[in-house]
Amino acid sequence: MSIIKLHNTYFKKYISKEKIAEAIDSMVEQITEDCKGETPVFIGILNGSFMFVADLVRKYNYNCTVSFVKLASYEGTSSTGKIKQLVGLNEDLEGKTVIILEDIIDTGNTLQEIYDIFSDRKLKQLKIATLFFKPDVFKKELQIDYIGISIPDKFIIGYGLDYDGLGRNLANIYQLTTPPKMKNIVLFGPPGAGKGTQADMLKEKYKLIHISTGDVFRSNINNKTELGILAKSFMENGDLVPDKVTIDMLKAEVDKNPNANGFIFDGFPRTKSQAKALDKFLEEKGELISGMVALEVPENLLVTRLLERGKISGRIDDQDESKIRNRFNEYNTKTAVLKDYYQLQGKYFGANGVGTIDDITKRLSEIIDQL
């Protein structure tokens, strides 16, 4: 994910896990060269450094010991400048080489505290290693021996660094970004759930553009667009239309509405690869999927509803129960994959799809209002 949301604050991907790994490799090389014949004591500063410490010491192929000290200086997205030593260090370090492993050094207030803590420990030498360094705001005349990546003075999270408790587990580094301007909804519902009706209600209420995959396909084929001709050639041969063709159609539809408040995607994505492609496309625009909202209705109720509809509409696929249940099986199989995909992002929301049209719209609106 290139854009994430934590505590109603948005962050965009800034430094990849691959670049982090390269920086740590370089630091390990320098430390190895400087500590020949030594058994250094690596001391990580909790909480932020735990991932950095784990990766660095795992790559250090010589004898060493590892310990931790816990300090705190951040609240929210800005430094308080107040340092509190929460957990002390009790082991004997006299005559040893100590290498402090910090996740990030900015103003240098925490670094000053570290120097003070170890000033009377009678060390052989004290060295400082920081994965991230903000030179623009560094205020101290203090030695930093190993620097992984120098960055501007912007608040970052990920790889051990948090925003009010969240984000430490992220493999990449993210920085603050402006909130997306659009509200983009993936609307799902089994056959007969009234998804089309609800899409019409919601697009009017929230001033969104409703993009139905079926409508987009028919429009492209009827208008003989390049993509429509290509899609038709696959369909006439009895082949599935490749994801790329479908995705390109959806992209073109989105690009037709650059000033939209957002979109309701109906019938798309249908596969995990399509969901990933949609995420990537929106992220390039600085946008993201706000949530996947799925209408949940008992299957037996829908079967009865569709059979009744078949008597009026004349649709053959609504008159055969076995075919109807096969459509449900296909829907459930596809939705299960997408449900897991969006649930991992905290973006899956199920809504009770039984009741009057207004009742269901109200339930959906309560979800959408929170996105």
Side-chain angles (χ1 to χ4, degrees):
M1 295 180 290
S2 295
I3 299 178
I4 60 172
K5 179 182 178 183
L6 301 176
H7 295 307
N8 293 318
T9 301
Y10 291 87
F11 298 85
K12 64 180 179 180
K13 188 174 175 181
Y14 177 47
I15 301 173
S16 70
K17 58 185 177 182
E18 290 79 14
K19 187 171 182 181
I20 294 171
E22 289 174 5
I24 293 175
D25 286 340
S26 178
M27 296 175 79
V28 169
E29 286 183 15
Q30 296 174 56
I31 293 171
T32 300
E33 180 65 26
D34 291 348
C35 292
K36 288 180 178 178
E38 302 271 356
T39 301
V41 180
F42 290 112
I43 298 179
I45 307 301
L46 294 174
N47 291 328
S49 72
F50 73 98
M51 292 178 76
F52 173 41
V53 173
D55 284 346
L56 186 142
V57 299
R58 187 163 50 238
K59 293 179 177 182
Y60 187 77
N61 294 320
Y62 298 90
N63 289 337
C64 65
T65 61
V66 183
S67 190
F68 292 91
V69 63
K70 188 170 183 179
L71 303 166
S73 64
Y74 266 97
E75 290 180 5
T77 62
S78 61
S79 176
T80 64
K82 299 176 182 178
I83 308 299
K84 296 180 181 179
Q85 183 177 344
L86 302 179
V87 179
L89 198 64
N90 299 318
E91 62 188 276
D92 182 14
L93 299 175
E94 185 173 349
K96 296 180 180 179
T97 293
V98 171
I99 301 178
I100 301 297
L101 300 181
E102 260 281 35
D103 50 353
I104 187 168
I105 292 177
D106 43 31
T107 62
N109 291 332
T110 301
L111 183 59
Q112 181 66 68
E113 185 74 9
I114 289 168
Y115 271 102
D116 292 344
I117 290 171
F118 293 98
S119 63
D120 60 351
R121 295 280 179 160
K122 299 180 180 178
L123 308 180
K124 179 179 180 181
Q125 57 181 335
L126 176 66
K127 290 182 174 291
I128 305 296
T130 182
L131 181 56
F132 301 108
F133 176 55
K134 296 182 178 180
D136 295 341
V137 292
F138 188 62
K139 301 176 180 177
K140 306 291 183 179
E141 295 292 331
L142 299 171
Q143 176 70 25
I144 302 175
D145 301 276
Y146 312 105
I147 295 173
I149 303 172
S150 292
I151 61 174
D153 182 27
K154 292 187 177 180
F155 184 75
I156 60 173
I157 61 165
Y159 199 74
L161 295 159
D162 76 306
Y163 172 45
D164 287 345
L166 298 182
R168 294 191 191 278
N169 59 315
L170 298 170
N172 303 297
I173 289 292
Y174 293 77
Q175 68 176 198
L176 280 170
T177 190
T178 55
K181 298 177 182 178
M182 293 181 176
K183 184 164 285 192
N184 297 309
I185 309 298
V186 173
L187 183 62
F188 259 68
K195 179 163 54 72
T197 300
Q198 290 303 322
D200 287 339
M201 300 287 285
L202 295 171
K203 75 176 183 181
E204 292 300 325
K205 180 173 182 177
Y206 293 99
K207 308 302 179 187
L208 304 177
I209 303 296
H210 177 205
I211 297 182
S212 165
T213 306
D215 291 344
V216 171
F217 262 81
R218 283 187 288 273
S219 175
N220 277 270
I221 291 172
N222 292 337
N223 292 323
K224 297 181 180 180
T225 67
E226 184 177 341
L227 289 171
I229 293 170
L230 184 58
K232 187 177 181 181
S233 69
F234 285 102
M235 295 164 69
E236 288 178 342
N237 290 327
D239 297 325
L240 293 173
V241 178
D243 278 354
K244 186 179 186 310
V245 177
T246 304
I247 292 164
D248 285 346
M249 284 186 184
L250 268 293
K251 286 181 178 180
E253 204 65 26
V254 170
D255 287 339
K256 289 178 185 176
N257 301 278
N259 299 317
N261 291 325
F263 297 88
I264 297 176
F265 294 98
D266 176 358
F268 183 89
R270 289 185 177 275
T271 65
K272 186 175 179 180
S273 61
Q274 289 181 357
K276 287 183 175 180
L278 180 59
D279 278 348
K280 183 178 180 181
F281 172 60
L282 291 174
E283 286 165 0
E284 290 170 355
K285 297 176 173 294
E287 301 294 337
L288 77 169
I289 289 297
S290 306
M292 175 187 183
V293 183
L295 288 166
E296 299 174 342
V297 185
E299 185 173 312
N300 288 336
L301 176 60
L302 289 174
V303 170
T304 301
R305 186 184 296 178
L306 289 173
L307 288 171
E308 288 298 317
R309 186 176 76 178
K311 294 176 183 178
I312 301 171
S313 68
R315 287 178 53 172
I316 296 176
D317 59 344
D318 283 349
Q319 297 175 15
D320 186 323
E321 183 172 339
S322 64
K323 290 182 178 179
I324 291 173
R325 291 197 182 275
N326 185 60
R327 284 156 62 193
F328 283 127
N329 182 61
E330 184 181 3
Y331 168 82
N332 290 330
T333 300
K334 292 174 179 175
T335 306
V337 174
L338 291 171
K339 179 179 179 180
D340 291 344
Y341 178 78
Y342 286 112
Q343 210 160 37
L344 285 172
Q345 300 180 32
K347 294 182 179 180
Y348 175 84
F349 304 91
N352 181 359
V354 179
T356 67
I357 291 174
D358 289 342
D359 286 341
I360 298 169
T361 302
K362 182 179 179 182
R363 292 174 201 143
L364 293 174
S365 298
E366 288 172 353
I367 293 172
I368 294 172
D369 287 342
Q370 299 303 313
L371 299 180

